[in-house]
Amino acid sequence: MKTYESNWNSDNKIKDDANSWAKYRKEMLSAFPAYQKETPDPLAAAIDKAVKAIDQLRPEAEGPAYLGTNPKLTIDFDHVKHISMPTKMSSAEKVIDETVELFEGLPNWGHPLTMCNVIPQANTASIVAAVLSEIYSPNILEGEYSWNVHRAELESAGMLGNLFGWNPDTTGCLYTYGGSGCWTYHVKYALSRVLHDSRTKGVRTDAKVICSQQAHYTMLNSTDWMGLGTDNIIKVRTDVNTNAMDLQHLEEILKDCHEQNIPVASVVCTMGTTDANAFDPIAQVRELMDKYPNDSTQYGKALLYADAVVCWAWLVFREYDFEKNLLEFSPDVLPLIKANCEALEGVKFADAIGVDFHKAGWSPYASSCFVYQNSDEFENLLKRPGSAYLQPRSPYNPLDYTLEVSRAATGSLAGWATMKFFGYEGFQAILGGILENQNFLRSVIASHTEIVCVNPEDHGLVTLFRAYPDGVIAEEEYRKELTDPAYKEQLVKNNILTKAIGDKLYHWFRNGKKVNGRCTPYLSFSTGFRVAEYNRDASDPEACIFALKAFPMNVHITPDIMRHVIDCVLAARDEVISEQ
Ligand SMILES: *Cc1c(COP(=O)(O)O)cnc(C)c1O
C-alpha cells in the first residue's frame, strides 16, 4: 500500500504506478482548465473545437432553419429516464461530442427564415461575455466572490437608469431569471412595501395586484409563488382597438379598493404586450394611483411596475434627432419609431421596470434585469441579516436582499456587454431595421387582396396577418368578422383555416419542404390575439381573431426573404384548402 505522499514524483507530478484514485486524478487534470499560464491552452483548444463542431450543424447556404440534418425529435420519452450515471469515467472530449449532438434539430435563431417569436440571435459580444463568466465563475452575491465583475451589474443600473430618465446614482438593478423573475421581484417589492409585517408574519391580507387583461400570463406564476394567490389579481379591461388599459375601469377599481379599504399592492402597466405591442397609459395610471392611495395608517404606498420586458429598448430613440434623421430611416418608418419611443417615455413614472435582454436585446438567456428607481428603499425594505461565513468586502452585497443566493454573472455580463457594444446608435439601427423589414412585409401583404394585416396600428416587433381563399377580398371579409356578429360562423371557419395554415407551415419547416426551390419559414400563430368588437368582455371564447405571426427579429433578414415568406403562406393555404 502506497502512502498518500508516495503517489507523487519529486517534481509534484503523479507517478505512473500511483494508486488508482491518483491515476484517475491525473487523467482528470487534462480536463480541468490550467490555473496558470500554459501554452498551448487546453481549455481554449477545447472551446475552439466545440464551437467549430457545433457550428458544423449550421445549414449549407439556403438550407433549413434548424441545426443539423435531422429535424426529428429523437427523444424516446417512454425510456428516456432509464439511465444511471456511468460507473467509469468518460472523457471530456466524448461528453462534448455528445453535448453537440443534443443541438441537432434545434431552431436556428439566427436563420433569416426564423420569425416565430421575440427570440433573437444573441450577439457575439454577449455570447463571449456570458461564456467567460462560466470559466471563472464570478458570483455576484457579494463583492468578494465577484470582485470587479460586479461592476457589470452596477454599470447596468447606471446605463438603464439613464435610459429611463431616472437618477442613475439611485437606480438599482438585479439580473434574474426572466421577465417572469422581474414580475415576481415586483410582487415581492410591492408586498413588502404595502403589507408592513408580511416579511415576518407572512402574507395575511388580500392585497391586490392590478393589471390589464392583456398583461402577460406570468401574473399567475408570480402571485402564486409569492403566496399572495392568483385570486388577488384584478384585471382591468382593455380597449378593444388599442389593447391598452381602460382608464375608466381602472379608476372604478381603485376607487372601490379605496372606499372599502382594500390595500393595492401594485398596478402593473404592460409597456408593450407580446402580441399587440400595446402600451398602457402609465402617466395617467400614476395620477389615478395618487388619487386613490392606500390608507397610510395601515398600509404602505402601492407600487407602480412597468412590464417593459419586450419593448424597453425603443427608449434608445429618446436620444434620436428625428429632424436630422442621421441613420436615414425611411419617411414611412420614422413616425412609427417615434410613436413607440413616446409611448415608453412614461416608464419614468414607474417604481420598477422589467427588462429582457433575451428579447429585443439580442443576448443569451438568462439576462433579464429587474430595475428599481430607489435603490435605498428596495434594498433596505428587503434586507436580511448577513451570513456568518461571508464578510462584506465591497459596498455591494445583493445576497442581503435577493431571492437568489449564489448569482451567476452570466446575465449581468451579457446585458452589460450588449449595451457597451450596441450603444444608442447600434440599438437604434437594429430596432429601426426591424420596422423597415416589417414595413416592407406589410407592403407585400397589401399587394395581395387575399391577405390582410390585422395589426396595422401596431409598430412593434410582430406583423399579424390572415390569409383567405383566392377571390376573397380579405380586408372586407376581415372587417365583417371583426365587427358583425352575423359573420361569426365565417370568423370561426377562417380561424380554422388560419390555424391549419400555421400548422402546415410548421410541418413544412420541420420536414424540409421547399417552395419555389427554397426552404420554408419558421413562423407561428396566435389563437386569439384580440376579441371581436362585439365580444368585448371575451365571454364568447369563439369570437376572437386567430392570426399568423412573423417576428423579423433577425439581422440576416432581407426583402427577398419577406417576399418568399408570403409565397410560402399562400402555398400552404392552397395545400390546406385542397386537402379539405
Ligand atoms: C416574455 C414576457 C414575459 C415573461 O418573460 P420571460 O423572460 O419569458 O420569463 C413577461 N411579460 C411580457 C410582456 C413578456 O412579453
Side-chain angles (χ1 to χ4, degrees):
M1 200 47 131
K2 285 186 182 347
T3 63
Y4 173 70
E5 279 173 298
S6 67
N7 284 306
W8 271 267
N9 284 320
S10 55
D11 60 355
N12 285 326
K13 296 261 160 56
I14 289 172
K15 286 179 181 167
D16 287 340
D17 65 345
N19 287 339
S20 298
W21 71 264
K23 281 189 208 151
Y24 251 136
R25 245 171 102 112
K26 186 178 175 182
E27 229 179 292
M28 237 177 233
L29 272 180
S30 66
F32 274 84
Y35 66 92
Q36 58 190 2
K37 284 181 188 152
E38 198 174 284
T39 5
D41 177 349
L43 174 68
I47 290 179
D48 184 54
K49 190 164 165 247
V51 172
K52 283 178 179 146
I54 205 165
D55 279 351
Q56 282 304 312
L57 296 179
R58 293 179 297 189
E60 300 297 332
E62 302 258 339
Y66 53 78
L67 297 174
T69 50
N70 183 5
K72 295 271 178 295
L73 194 56
T74 54
I75 303 168
D76 172 1
F77 288 93
D78 289 337
H79 302 99
V80 68
K81 293 181 186 170
H82 298 184
I83 183 169
S84 304
M85 227 193 315
T87 306
K88 297 278 182 199
M89 196 164 84
S90 180
S91 73
E93 265 189 6
K94 190 154 170 284
V95 175
I96 293 168
D97 289 345
E98 287 173 33
T99 311
V100 169
E101 277 172 30
L102 294 182
F103 287 75
E104 184 81 27
L106 184 78
N108 181 354
W109 308 121
H111 197 292
L113 287 169
T114 300
M115 301 182 199
C116 63
N117 207 331
V118 264
I119 308 177
Q121 186 183 36
N123 73 82
T124 301
S126 70
I127 294 171
V128 173
V131 169
L132 294 185
S133 90
E134 308 296 345
I135 299 175
Y136 287 104
S137 307
N139 182 346
I140 315 189
L141 84 168
E142 42 103 64
E144 184 175 333
Y145 294 165
S146 53
W147 213 240
N148 285 309
V149 177
H150 63 302
R151 189 162 135 190
E153 191 161 66
L154 289 161
E155 287 192 356
S156 292
M159 287 191 272
L160 291 167
N162 267 311
L163 177 68
F164 301 150
W166 291 347
N167 175 358
D169 286 329
T170 55
T171 301
C173 82
L174 292 168
Y175 279 87
T176 187
Y177 61 86
S180 340
C182 297
W183 233 98
T184 302
Y185 261 109
H186 120 258
V187 173
K188 180 66 188 163
Y189 187 4
L191 292 174
S192 306
R193 189 203 257 189
V194 172
L195 305 179
H196 298 304
D197 58 2
S198 65
R199 290 193 58 221
T200 47
K201 305 278 187 266
V203 178
R204 296 289 179 272
T205 308
D206 284 324
K208 302 296 171 186
V209 168
I210 302 171
C211 59
S212 91
Q213 271 173 347
Q214 301 290 326
H216 195 270
Y217 60 80
T218 193
M219 66 175 94
L220 299 174
N221 306 24
S222 302
T223 51
D224 173 9
W225 282 75
M226 282 297 114
L228 177 65
T230 54
D231 284 354
N232 281 312
I233 300 170
I234 302 180
K235 287 193 200 169
V236 186
R237 274 196 304 269
T238 48
D239 183 281
V240 73
N241 293 311
T242 65
N243 281 307
M245 192 183 268
D246 176 339
L247 284 166
Q248 224 174 330
H249 190 211
L250 175 67
E251 178 154 16
E252 281 165 31
I253 294 166
L254 288 172
K255 191 158 175 266
D256 200 43
C257 288
H258 184 75
E259 282 167 1
Q260 297 187 53
N261 197 22
I262 296 168
V264 174
S266 69
V267 179
V268 178
C269 285
T270 309
M271 300 308 285
T273 56
T274 326
D275 263 355
N277 197 50
F279 298 100
D280 290 333
I282 190 166
Q284 291 94 313
V285 169
R286 172 55 91 190
E287 283 170 18
L288 286 177
M289 288 172 75
D290 290 344
K291 191 169 162 192
Y292 303 101
N294 290 333
D295 173 8
S296 62
T297 63
Q298 289 180 72
Y299 305 115
K301 194 176 166 196
L303 195 86
L304 176 53
Y305 176 61
D307 180 3
V309 293
V310 190
C311 288
W312 63 277
W314 290 104
L315 271 177
V316 294
F317 284 97
R318 283 180 69 213
E319 303 249 314
Y320 195 67
D321 186 333
F322 286 91
E323 293 297 309
K324 290 207 182 99
N325 188 21
L326 287 178
L327 296 184
E328 302 173 288
F329 293 110
S330 62
D332 286 349
V333 160
L334 207 55
L336 313 182
I337 295 175
K338 201 169 177 195
N340 284 342
C341 182
E342 283 171 1
L344 274 156
E345 271 280 326
V347 296
K348 61 174 177 254
F349 297 113
D351 296 298
I353 302 175
V355 162
D356 274 358
F357 279 93
H358 62 265
K359 288 178 179 163
W362 291 268
S363 305
Y365 304 106
S367 52
S368 295
C369 194
F370 179 69
V371 197
Y372 38 93
Q373 187 171 179
N374 184 343
S375 56
D376 274 351
E377 189 207 23
F378 176 83
E379 291 163 16
N380 288 319
L381 202 54
L382 290 165
K383 190 128 179 114
R384 291 174 299 254
S387 145
Y389 58 85
L390 295 171
Q391 285 75 40
R393 306 285 187 200
S394 130
Y396 189 61
N397 297 290
L399 87 151
D400 291 341
Y401 49 84
T402 46
L403 167 64
E404 304 93 345
V405 178
S406 286
R407 300 178 64 240
T410 321
S412 300
L413 285 169
W416 176 86
T418 298
M419 289 190 280
K420 301 277 280 187
F421 168 40
F422 284 178
Y424 276 82
E425 288 195 346
F427 264 116
Q428 288 161 0
I430 199 166
L431 285 165
I434 291 178
L435 289 199
E436 294 284 353
N437 265 322
Q438 196 106 260
N439 198 42
F440 182 78
L441 174 66
R442 290 177 185 200
S443 75
V444 177
I445 289 174
S447 72
H448 288 272
T449 47
E450 66 278 30
I451 312 180
V452 60
C453 171
V454 296
N455 68 333
E457 309 299 328
D458 313 337
H459 314 296
L461 304 166
V462 61
T463 291
L464 294 122
F465 55 101
R466 283 161 75 86
Y468 293 79
D470 267 334
V472 173
I473 300 173
E475 190 89 45
E476 287 176 11
E477 187 86 348
Y478 174 60
R479 184 160 315 117
K480 289 179 206 151
E481 291 170 351
L482 184 63
T483 56
D484 190 345
Y487 279 83
K488 198 187 120 184
E489 201 179 318
Q490 201 66 28
L491 169 65
V492 171
K493 193 170 147 235
N494 285 321
N495 278 346
I496 293 168
L497 175 65
T498 306
K499 181 174 182 304
I501 297 171
D503 281 330
K504 175 71 68 188
L505 284 165
Y506 183 73
H507 204 64
W508 282 2
F509 149 62
R510 273 288 160 202
N511 290 318
K513 158 92 177 176
K514 295 200 169 173
V515 169
N516 302 331
R518 300 167 72 182
C519 291
T520 58
Y522 176 20
L523 303 182
S524 59
F525 57 89
S526 170
T527 53
F529 93 98
R530 62 168 294 175
V531 290
E533 283 178 9
Y534 55 84
N535 184 31
R536 216 183 121 92
D537 59 1
S539 58
D540 180 354
E542 284 191 324
C544 66
I545 313 294
F546 290 20
L548 298 164
K549 303 207 274 187
F551 288 86
M553 292 296 294
N554 195 307
V555 289
H556 303 287
I557 288 169
T558 58
D560 181 47
I561 288 280
M562 288 308 200
R563 259 191 229 103
H564 177 58
V565 164
I566 295 304
D567 289 346
C568 293
V569 167
L570 291 175
R573 175 207 62 180
D574 290 346
E575 193 166 299
V576 165
I577 290 174
S578 76
E579 286 164 0
Q580 278 171 353

